[in-house]
Amino acid sequence: MPFTLAIIGRPNVGKSTLFNRLVGKRLALVDDRPGVTRDLREGDARLGDLSFRVVDTAGLEEATDDSLPARMRRLTERAVAESDLCLFVIDARAGVTPTDQVFADLLRRGGRKVLLATNKAEGRAGEAGMYEAYSLGLGEPIPLSAEHGEGMGELYAALEPHIAAFEAAEASGEADPAAGEDDDLAENRPMQIAVVGRPNAGKSTLVNAILREDRLLTGPEAGITRDAISVDALWEGRAFRIFDTAGMRKKAKVQEKLEKLSVSDGLRAVRFAEVVILLMDVESAFETQDLRIADLAEREGRAVVYAVNKWDAAEDRQQLLKDLHERAGRLLPQLSGTPLVTVSALTGKGLDKLKGAVERQHRIWNMRVPTARLNEWLSAMLSAHPPPAPGGRRIRIRFATQVKSRPPSFVAFCSRPDELPAAYTRYLVGGLRRDFGLDGVPIRFDYRKRENPYDKGR
């Protein structure tokens, strides 16, 4: 495991801005209001020649009950416990607050390795807060401006000895006694999965069930997840990278800037994914927004698996399952044959079937059809249902080939491609699904006006 730095502090002190600065990308959502970050977000950071893992955490609040702020605090405390070093960030312009003092005291008594940073220290406005930070008893503060990139040299100088000591211990075998045991797994590139759906469908609960740990923040409140959080996991021996996304509501209902950013983050996760799990509530599966999300995944060329959650609470399951399959086929014909899996994220039931469906769709998404076999099939399809003859002149389709996979994409060479009706393309795509087992993945089928390269000289 790489050296891990956890960025912690009160809400709105600039932790996510600093996280984005260190990873070199706008991975974490940033907004002026406090409390934007709720889950733990991890990223690979670089600072000069230093490489390390950085964790962005939720803002620390003085809450110990079972409220949402308290659950966020427990998640942050867990990140602190699992990190090699904590970077405690305060707002230099606000100075040291009572809450800063409480958490600094907890860090000191907990014996954690801590660096202290005063963010927003650019200009004279942050000077007083920087000097005040000495009173926290966490050593010399590092003045930063995460937004403007100031103070990165000072941060490098403070981090370098900690990372050097970690790497020296790792080289001697002290840091990770199990190092090297999973070399084969390291070579197994993780499959990229995005879990998407409407708010409160149980996406974070499902990811936690797959991980078998409370890694993501969950609760009865709708819309808890804001960032698209990626988590690397071993799911029954197979490496996965799972993106948990914010719930996607109808566009007309998304008014606030923060929710727009959350939805945009989720859409980006779909584009990065290879397989999209569309998670739906058993009480309201295949509503209009579910159809829009599935259509988005299809347009982005991603393999799809339908997962119906809270199945343990369903009644008359046999009839309900029949109705769900009927709705899927009727409302989403462009994803005909997509597997539908019933799960209970709360109890973990159905996860083995979900994993099997994901792996199957991934294999289909990567499938290539041999050119000779494809053209034998095309000849049979043309004989069974010849292309139309607009104006009395029959359109000739001479040859087809698969130009790429991920998703399966085909090109047919045709005499007058612009005159072929969409219905005939649907006929060919339907035949590809049926005869080559391309169920549930997008299929791209295009035409080019070109002679058959094997037909020259005839």
Side-chain angles (χ1 to χ4, degrees), residues 312-327:
D312 51 327
E315 298 178 359
D316 194 7
R317 297 178 187 177
Q318 190 172 357
Q319 182 59 42
L320 179 57
L321 187 60
K322 182 179 178 182
D323 293 342
L324 290 171
H325 279 290
E326 186 276 329
R327 268 184 264 172

Side-chain angles (χ1 to χ4, degrees), residues 5-171:
L5 175 73
I7 304 175
I8 61 174
R10 289 186 297 107
N12 213 32
V13 296
K15 299 184 297 299
S16 294
T17 305
L18 179 58
F19 173 88
N20 287 342
R21 171 75 58 182
L22 291 172
V23 299
K25 302 175 186 176
R26 290 183 60 85
L27 291 182
L29 297 187
V30 176
D31 194 72
D32 291 335
R33 75 180 72 180
V36 170
T37 301
R38 288 175 171 173
D39 276 295
L40 305 179
R41 179 185 278 279
E42 302 178 19
D44 294 320
R46 289 194 67 87
L47 189 58
D49 59 354
L50 301 179
S51 298
F52 53 97
R53 193 79 171 156
V54 64
V55 182
D56 183 26
T57 66
L60 287 165
E61 298 192 47
E62 294 185 73
T64 56
D65 54 10
D66 202 37
S67 63
L68 179 59
R71 299 199 304 272
M72 291 161 59
R73 172 177 168 168
R74 287 195 289 272
L75 207 57
T76 297
E77 289 171 345
R78 175 181 165 181
V80 168
E82 294 178 353
S83 66
D84 299 297
L85 180 67
C86 298
L87 182 64
F88 185 49
V89 182
I90 70 167
D91 185 335
R93 300 191 176 192
V96 175
T97 68
T99 304
D100 290 327
Q101 292 173 336
V102 168
F103 291 117
D105 185 51
L106 287 174
L107 288 169
R108 280 198 313 273
R109 286 191 281 113
R112 304 301 305 171
K113 293 181 181 178
V114 183
L115 295 178
L116 174 62
T118 55
N119 192 31
K120 309 179 187 179
E122 67 273 19
R124 299 187 64 181
E127 283 185 7
M130 188 187 73
Y131 291 120
E132 194 179 341
Y134 281 95
S135 66
L136 294 173
L138 293 174
E140 183 176 353
I142 306 165
L144 299 175
S145 172
E147 185 174 358
H148 301 291
E150 296 177 13
M152 293 299 112
E154 289 84 349
L155 181 58
Y156 173 95
L159 279 174
E160 195 275 334
H162 292 278
I163 295 177
F166 174 87
E167 290 177 346
E170 190 178 52

Side-chain angles (χ1 to χ4, degrees), residues 247-382:
M248 300 182 187
R249 297 196 298 162
K250 293 180 181 178
K251 192 173 182 180
K253 292 185 178 181
V254 179
Q255 301 295 334
E256 293 189 8
K257 173 191 171 186
L258 182 56
E259 188 173 359
K260 289 180 180 178
L261 290 172
S262 296
V263 171
S264 176
D265 212 26
L267 298 180
R268 189 162 59 247
V270 169
R271 296 184 184 107
F272 276 116
E274 297 169 331
V275 181
V276 171
I277 298 175
L278 174 56
L279 190 67
M280 298 170 280
D281 191 306
V282 69
E283 297 292 333
S284 56
F286 294 108
E287 287 195 349
T288 303
Q289 187 63 0
D290 295 323
L291 305 183
R292 288 197 179 105
I293 295 170
D295 187 60
L296 165 72
E298 193 278 337
R299 283 186 279 112
E300 291 293 337
R302 304 300 169 236
V304 177
V305 173
Y306 304 137
V308 180
N309 192 22
K310 308 177 186 177
W311 190 248
D312 51 327
E315 298 178 359
D316 194 7
R317 297 178 187 177
Q318 190 172 357
Q319 182 59 42
L320 179 57
L321 187 60
K322 182 179 178 182
D323 293 342
L324 290 171
H325 279 290
E326 186 276 329
R327 268 184 264 172
R330 174 169 50 86
L331 298 172
L332 291 165
Q334 69 272 39
L335 286 169
S336 175
T338 296
L340 189 152
V341 182
T342 58
V343 300
S344 170
L346 204 57
T347 65
K349 288 187 177 178
L351 294 189
D352 52 343
K353 293 181 180 177
L354 180 62
K355 177 177 180 283
V358 167
E359 291 179 322
R360 174 180 175 272
Q361 293 308 101
H362 189 257
R363 282 195 300 272
I364 294 172
W365 191 63
N366 283 279
M367 184 182 292
R368 296 198 73 95
V369 179
T371 301
R373 189 176 165 207
L374 180 65
N375 281 280
E376 288 174 7
W377 166 86
L378 179 63
S379 178
M381 292 290 286
L382 297 176

Side-chain angles (χ1 to χ4, degrees), residues 160-228:
E160 195 275 334
H162 292 278
I163 295 177
F166 174 87
E167 290 177 346
E170 190 178 52
S172 66
E174 295 173 12
D176 185 5
E181 290 182 4
D182 292 326
D183 289 344
D184 292 340
L185 292 173
E187 296 175 4
N188 179 11
R189 191 182 66 81
M191 188 193 302
Q192 314 269 351
I193 303 174
V195 181
V196 300
R198 289 180 284 123
N200 220 26
K203 298 179 292 297
S204 297
T205 307
L206 177 66
V207 176
N208 282 344
I210 293 170
L211 299 176
R212 297 183 180 179
E213 59 176 311
D214 293 332
R215 168 63 176 77
L216 301 173
L217 190 64
T218 62
E221 304 91 345
I224 289 178
T225 302
R226 284 175 170 166
D227 297 78

